[in-house]
Amino acid sequence: MANSGSTAAARTAAPSRTSWRPRAGYAQTLGAGAFLALLILYNALFNGDVFLNTQSLRLNLTQVAPIVIVAVGMTLVVATGGIDLSVGSVMAIAGAIAPLIFLSDASLLTLPFVGGALAYAVPVLIAGLFGLFNGWLVTAFRLQPIIATLVLFVAGRGVAQVITDGRLQSFREPDWQFIGLGRVFGVPFQAILMLCVVGVAAWGMRSTTFGRYVLAIGGNAAAARLAGVPVGRVTAAVYAISGLLAGLAGLIVIAINSSSDANQVGLNMELDAIAAVAVGGTSLMGGRATVVGTLIGALIIQLIRFTLLTQGVGDAVARVVTAAAIVVGVLVQRRRTP
Amino acid sequence: MIETANHDLLLRMEGVTKAFPGVVALADASLRVGRGEVHALVGQNGAGKSTLMKILNGAYRRDGGTVVLDGSPIDFRSPKQAQAGGISTIHQEINLVPYRSVAENVFMGREPRRFGMIDWPRMNRSAREILSRLNVGVDVTQPLLRLNVAVQQMVAIARAVSFQSKLVVMDEPTSSLDEREVATLFAVIRGLKADGVSVIFITHRLDELYEVCDRVTIMRDGRTVEERPMGEISKLELVATMLGKELGEVRRTGQTGFGESQRHGRGVLLEASALSRGRALRDASVRVDAGEIVGLAGLLGSGRTEVARAVFGADPVDAGEIRFRGESARFDGPGDAIRAGIGFCTEDRKAEGIIPHLSVRENLTLAALPVLARAGVVDRGRQREIVDRFMRRLGIRAAGPEQPIRELSGGNQQKVLLARWLCLNPKLLILDEPTRGIDVGAKAEIQSLIDELAGEGLGVLMISSELEELTEGGDRVVVLRDGRTVAELSREAATQDAIMAAMALGPAQPEAATDPAIA
C-alpha cells in the first residue's frame, strides 16, 4: 500500500487543495452567460433608445419572470432525467382557482387579508398536489415522465375550464394583484420573486442533501438506490415542486392580465420552460443541472425575441430564431458530453 | 517468435503521448504486434492500456507519436474508420443493441441487401455460420437480451470476426465468461491466429495470458516498460514489473495477519437462513461473524448476487429469515440496511455503482449525506475532510476530489465505491466481485484493505468468481448452486478443488465437501 501511495501522490497534484476546474455543465453556463452579455451589449449599443429605459426593462422582467419560475421547477425535473409537460395546464388550474376565492362572497373570505392570503396559498398548494400526482404516476407505476405528465397536460386545462365553467373571469383587486403588478423600489415584484426562487433553488441544488440526491438520481438511479437514496420520495417531491412553482407562475400571469382565461393561461409554457432549461446548459438526459443557467437561458430567449420584435422583425421570424438558439444550445452541450 | 515479430510487424506504435485535463494518461507508450501474433497488454489501472487502445481504434486522438499499421502510418478519427482499416475492438462492456436479433447485431450497419431491402435469409444464414464456427449454437433470430451475458459476448466476438479484421483488440473479453466459454474463446483466438489475424489481448487473469499469448507488453504510469516473449517471464516477475516493485514485495500482506484467535468469538453478525425468492433463491443460508471474511462462491446464476441483494434490502424475499446483530432484519430498502450498518459494493460498477457525471467527492459521500447534513444542508467542511482522508487512505488516484468519477480507471472507481461505505464505518460489508476488471496492483491493495478491516472487526461477505480470492482471503467459504446453499467450507477445507466440486456437483456429495465442525 505504501508503495502505490507514493506513486499516487506523485500523480495527484496536492489532493487537499481546491483543484477547481469548470465542469462541463458550468462551462456551458459560462458560454450562455457570455452570449447573454453580448445580447445586452448589442441592445445597449444599437437598440439603446428602446432597450435602455425603465419601461422596457420592466417589460422584459415582467414577461420573463413566470417563465423563469416555471423553468426552475422544470430544471429539477429534468435533472432527475424526467420532464414535466403539465406545467402550462397546472398554471391554468391555479389561475382558475384563485379568483374563485378572492371574488367569493363567503363571509370568511371577505375578512381583510384572509381571502387574499388564501387566494395565494390554496391555488399554489393545489398545483403542488397536481405535481405530486405526476410524481406518483412516475414513481408508483414507473410511467415514462413524458407520458405521465401528458395526462395532466391534456386533462389539466379541461379541469381549469370545468372550475370556471369555461368563462373568462375578469377582476380588479389591486391588493391581491400586487404579485403581478406591484413594484418594490421600482422593480416589478415578480422579478424579485423570480430571483428569490432562483437563489433558493440554486443554493438548494448545491448545498442540500435533497439537491445532491436529485442529481444522483438523474445520473444513475439504480446506483443512487443502492446508496440508500430514497429515489421514489425525491422524484415525487421534484414533480411536486414543479407543480408548486407552476401554480405560483399561474397566479402572476392572471394578476398581470387582470383576468383568468383557462384557455390562455400558461399556454405553451412547457415549451418555453424546456427551451430555457436546454439553452441554460442542463442536460436533458438528467444528472447535470444548473439553475442559474436556466435563468440565463430564459433571459437569452426573452432578449432575442425582444431584440427582433423591436427591430421590426415579425413574430413568426422571431420564433424561428428562438428555435435556432435552442438548437445551438443543445449542440454545444452535446459536444461537451463524450 | 521474436524473429517473426520483428521481421513481420503488423502494428507499430511508438512514443505515443496523450494528456487529459489534470492527468497525463500516456507519457511514452509503444506497442509492437507481429502478424498472426496474440499479444498480451498488461498493466495496473491507470497504466494507460485503455487509452492506448482507444487511440489505436480512433476513439481518442493522440497528442504525439507514430502509429504504423501494415507499413503505412495511420490516424483514425473514429472507431468506424478503424474498423474499415482492419481493426476491430471487443469491449469489456458489451456494445450491442439488446432489442434487435442476434443476426442483426452481427451485421448491424452492413446488412446484406437485395433489391435495396435487407436480405433476411442470407443475413441469418451468415450469422449462423459465423457463430457455429465459434461453437455457439443459438437461434440467431431471437433478440439479444434473451441471451445470457456470456453468449452476448460471443455475439460481439462474432461481429468483430465478421469484419475480416487484420487486428482484433479484446479488452477483458473473459470477465463474464465461465471456464468452458473461455476455452471456446481461446479456440477462436487460435483460429484467428492461424488465419494470420493478430490479437491484442487485455486481461487481468494471469493464467489466461500464459495459455494463449505469444508476447507481452507491460505498461506502467503511461509508459511501456517491458516487452517480452510470454515464455521468458515468470508470473511473479510480470506482476512485479507491472507494479514497479521488487520481487519480494508482491505477496499479500494480509495473509500473515490472519490470527485464528483474532477471528473467533466476536459473535454472530449476520444470519440469513432459508432465503427464497422465485427461481433465483430456493434455500440459501449464510452466516457472517464479526471480524470474519466469508466467501460466497457459485457459478453465474447460482444466486450469489441475489443473496447479497436480499440481505441489503435491495430485493424482497418470499420466505426465509434474516437476522442482523441479533435482531430480525427484513429491510424495506437499502436505506434501512445502510442505517443498520451494512454496505454493499455492487458487481456492476458502471450500471449500479458510480454516478458518472458527479465528482469523486460526491460519489464518495453519497451514502453518507444524511450523516454529513444538518437539517438537510450538507456540511461542506466535514465532507471535504472525509473525502481527503479516504482518498489518502485508499490511495485513490484522481486529478482531485472534483474530477468526475467516470474519468477514473476501474480500480480507482472501485476504491471510491469502497470508501463510500467505509466512511460510514459499517458493521458488515458485502462485496460483489470486488476486484473484477481491476489490475493486480489495485487488487492486492483492495484485498489487503479488506483483511485489515476484518482485523478491526468488520464482517465481510465477499462474492467472487475467482477461486484464488476465496481460498486466500476467506475465513470460510459458502457455496451456492441453483439458489441453494450446498456447502460451507472452513478455511482449511476450502481448497479450490473442494469449492469447484461443490459449485459443479452441489448436493450430490455435500458430505465430502462440508466441514462437519462448521456445518
Side-chain angles (χ1 to χ4, degrees), chain A residues 100-116 118-119:
Chain A
L100 295 185
I101 296 172
F102 63 67
L103 294 178
S104 164
D105 296 329
S107 55
L108 175 73
L109 297 181
T110 51
L111 291 173
F113 297 115
V114 174
L118 286 179

Side-chain angles (χ1 to χ4, degrees), chain B residues 382-423:
Chain B
R382 278 178 67 204
Q383 188 187 33
R384 200 39 169 272
E385 191 186 306
I386 284 180
V387 170
D388 282 349
R389 176 143 44 93
F390 280 90
M391 282 185 75
R392 227 176 297 125
R393 175 161 183 201
L394 273 68
I396 294 168
R397 287 188 197 184
E402 299 308 318
Q403 188 175 19
I405 194 169
R406 71 190 134 96
E407 293 175 7
L408 269 54
S409 66
N412 283 307
Q413 289 181 359
Q414 184 72 335
K415 286 181 186 172
V416 173
L417 295 181
L418 273 172
R420 180 187 283 175
W421 301 117
L422 296 182
C423 73

